[in-house]
């Protein structure tokens, strides 16, 4: 559905015709632009927008179906950018992603939002309070949305870093992360980092193109070249995010390896203890087994002190074994 439709002239929102075609003509005539915001539109709802603004059918198909990687596509009459905002849920320590598609053309911006993790309402309100920036046209909207999405990446990276510190403290606690759920928590956290990485990693190329740097740098249609320094700033923030995500991924892999190593060492300790107790039980069992055989001629069989002597020998051997195993750290 259409969430908002605004006509902007000289950085200020202006009243205009409700018909999309008339609104676009009025905005172009006055040197302004139209900004239309949609949330999970149906094909029928989006058909009118497609016809009025001449959007490319391939981009329209991507906008309707969603589940796209971050990318930047240039068509004859418009620019198509896909962003994946990330939402962090503190209650469940989970990361979820939404999608924002932007169509940028001559005198218009169309934003399509999927999911709940998109800060478009806040971006629109901020821009409407900054007429100098909004007066730069559709490029300002593109920059503001990209900047808001990437800045929120930094916040999510900080939250994930805090969660990782708690997980690390649990693994390296005195009990060595002995909880059965520790490995599951580590693996779940790694999946969250992977989901985050899918949103931030592919965005590097589109922002590099918009910033005009690197091998992908160049003139991008419908984007004001004077905005390149602003996109370079966003690209720098994204580089910081990607470094943080890579660091989180390496650390969680190391923590998982350390946890598995601790579990292996703990199992070895348990096996040593079991082996030591089994050896201590084997000595009296062997002696009792020998003297339990039914033979008439056995040493000290009819000696009065044979029973206490055998018990004493068993006790001495048990004490010697216990001290030996204790000294070696097996018990």
């Amino acid at each position: 559905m259409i969430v908002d439709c605004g006509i902007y002239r000289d950085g200020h929102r202006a009243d205009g015709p409700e018909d999309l075609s008339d609104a676009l003509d009025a905005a172009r005539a006055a040197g302004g632009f139209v900004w239309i915001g949609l949330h999970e539109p149906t094909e029928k709802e989006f058909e009118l927008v497609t016809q009025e603004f001449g959007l490319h059918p391939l981009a329209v198909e991507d906008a309707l179906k969603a589940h796209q990687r971050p990318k930047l596509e240039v068509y004859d009459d418009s620019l198509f950018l896909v962003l994946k905002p990330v939402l962090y849920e503190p209650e469940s320590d989970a990361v979820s992603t939404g999608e924002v598609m932007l169509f940028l053309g001559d005198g218009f911006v169309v934003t399509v939002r999927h999911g709940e993790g998109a800060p478009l309402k806040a971006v629109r309100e901020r821009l409407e309070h900054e007429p100098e920036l909004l007066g730069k046209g559709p490029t300002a909207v593109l920059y503001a949305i990209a900047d808001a999405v990437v800045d929120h990446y930094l916040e999510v990276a900080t939250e994930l870093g805090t969660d990782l510190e708690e997980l690390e403290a649990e693994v390296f606690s005195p009990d060595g992360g002995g909880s059965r759920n520790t490995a599951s928590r580590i693996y779940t956290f790694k999946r969250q980092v992977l989901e985050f990485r899918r949103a931030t990693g592919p965005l590097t190329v589109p922002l590099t193109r918009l910033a005009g740097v690197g091998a992908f740098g160049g003139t991008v249609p419908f984007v004001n070249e004077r905005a390149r320094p602003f996109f370079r700033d966003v690209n720098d923030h994204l580089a910081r995010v990607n470094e943080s995500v890579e660091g989180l991924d390496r650390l969680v892999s190391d923590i998982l390896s350390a946890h598995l190593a601790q579990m292996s060492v703990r199992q070895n300790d348990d096996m040593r203890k079991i082996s030591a107790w089994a050896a201590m039980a084997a000595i009296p069992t062997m002696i009792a087994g020998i003297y339990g055989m039914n033979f008439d001629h056995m040493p000290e069989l009819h000696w009065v002190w044979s029973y206490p002597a055998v018990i004493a020998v068993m006790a001495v051997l048990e004490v010697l074994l216990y001290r030996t195993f204790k000294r070696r750290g097996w018990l």
Side-chain angles (χ1 to χ4, degrees):
M1 63 178 180
I2 297 180
V3 177
D4 198 356
C5 176
I7 300 177
Y8 297 91
R9 301 188 184 98
D10 299 325
H12 297 279
R13 187 161 183 159
D15 296 330
E18 296 182 359
D19 182 80
L20 295 182
S21 180
D22 294 339
L24 180 60
D25 293 338
R28 286 174 174 173
F33 67 95
V34 178
W35 181 1
I36 298 175
L38 301 101
H39 179 240
E40 298 181 357
T42 63
E43 185 175 352
K44 184 176 181 180
E45 291 173 339
F46 204 54
E47 184 177 356
L48 177 61
V49 178
T50 302
Q51 293 175 353
E52 294 296 340
F53 296 100
L55 306 180
H56 197 279
L58 292 178
V60 171
E61 182 181 358
D62 290 343
L64 289 174
K65 292 184 177 181
H67 303 294
Q68 304 295 317
R69 285 166 54 90
K71 62 180 180 178
L72 177 66
E73 300 285 351
V74 179
Y75 299 102
D76 294 336
D77 299 323
S78 62
L79 183 73
F80 180 61
L81 176 66
V82 178
L83 301 169
K84 292 185 75 69
V86 174
L87 180 64
Y88 177 80
E89 300 173 0
E91 295 80 9
S92 57
D93 294 336
V95 170
S96 60
T97 57
E99 290 186 44
V100 174
M101 286 83 164
L102 292 95
F103 294 88
L104 203 72
D106 182 19
F108 70 87
V109 178
V110 177
T111 55
V112 182
R113 178 168 60 93
H114 292 269
E116 301 299 327
L120 297 189
K121 181 179 180 181
V123 171
R124 188 186 288 263
E125 292 177 351
R126 181 170 68 87
L127 283 174
E128 289 179 354
H129 286 84
E130 296 183 18
E132 183 176 353
L133 177 60
L134 190 58
K136 304 298 181 181
T139 301
V141 178
L142 178 65
Y143 158 72
I145 293 176
D147 183 57
V149 170
V150 173
D151 283 348
H152 193 62
Y153 286 166
L154 291 170
E155 298 175 8
V156 174
T158 301
E159 294 289 347
L160 288 176
T162 301
D163 291 344
L164 184 60
E165 290 176 359
E166 295 176 356
L167 194 59
E168 188 177 17
E170 178 182 340
V171 170
F172 293 102
S173 60
D175 62 353
S179 173
R180 295 182 179 180
N181 296 326
T182 301
S184 176
R185 286 190 59 197
I186 296 174
Y187 183 74
T188 301
F189 186 86
K190 191 171 182 63
R191 288 184 63 87
Q192 303 299 330
V193 173
L194 178 61
E195 183 72 15
F196 192 21
R197 195 170 192 169
R198 287 173 179 167
T200 64
L203 187 57
T204 300
V205 173
L207 282 183
T208 300
R209 291 181 62 185
L210 292 171
V213 296
F216 300 99
T219 302
V220 179
F222 309 107
V223 177
N224 193 326
E225 292 189 10
R226 289 180 295 179
R228 285 185 172 183
F230 296 94
F231 286 109
R232 281 200 294 269
D233 180 67
V234 178
N235 195 35
D236 289 342
H237 291 177
L238 181 64
R240 287 173 51 195
V241 171
N242 285 327
E243 290 175 358
S244 299
V245 173
E246 290 178 5
L248 290 171
D249 189 50
R250 287 195 300 268
L251 280 175
V252 73
S253 297
D254 293 342
I255 289 175
L256 180 59
S257 298
H259 176 67
L260 295 177
Q262 286 181 331
M263 295 294 292
S264 178
V265 170
R266 190 177 300 110
Q267 289 175 353
N268 290 336
D269 289 340
D270 293 340
M271 289 303 298
R272 282 201 301 264
K273 292 178 180 179
I274 293 172
S275 299
W277 287 111
M280 292 173 62
I283 295 298
T285 302
M286 180 189 67
I287 296 175
I290 292 174
Y291 278 90
M293 293 187 295
N294 296 322
F295 292 102
D296 290 333
H297 303 287
M298 293 183 67
E300 295 85 25
L301 187 61
H302 300 288
W303 186 33
V304 176
W305 297 98
S306 56
Y307 179 77
V310 169
I311 297 298
V313 169
M314 290 182 182
V316 170
L317 291 175
E318 290 294 299
V319 171
L320 291 176
L321 285 174
Y322 180 82
R323 294 184 62 181
T324 300
F325 292 142
K326 191 73 172 177
R327 185 167 57 251
R328 293 184 178 181
W330 286 28
L331 291 174

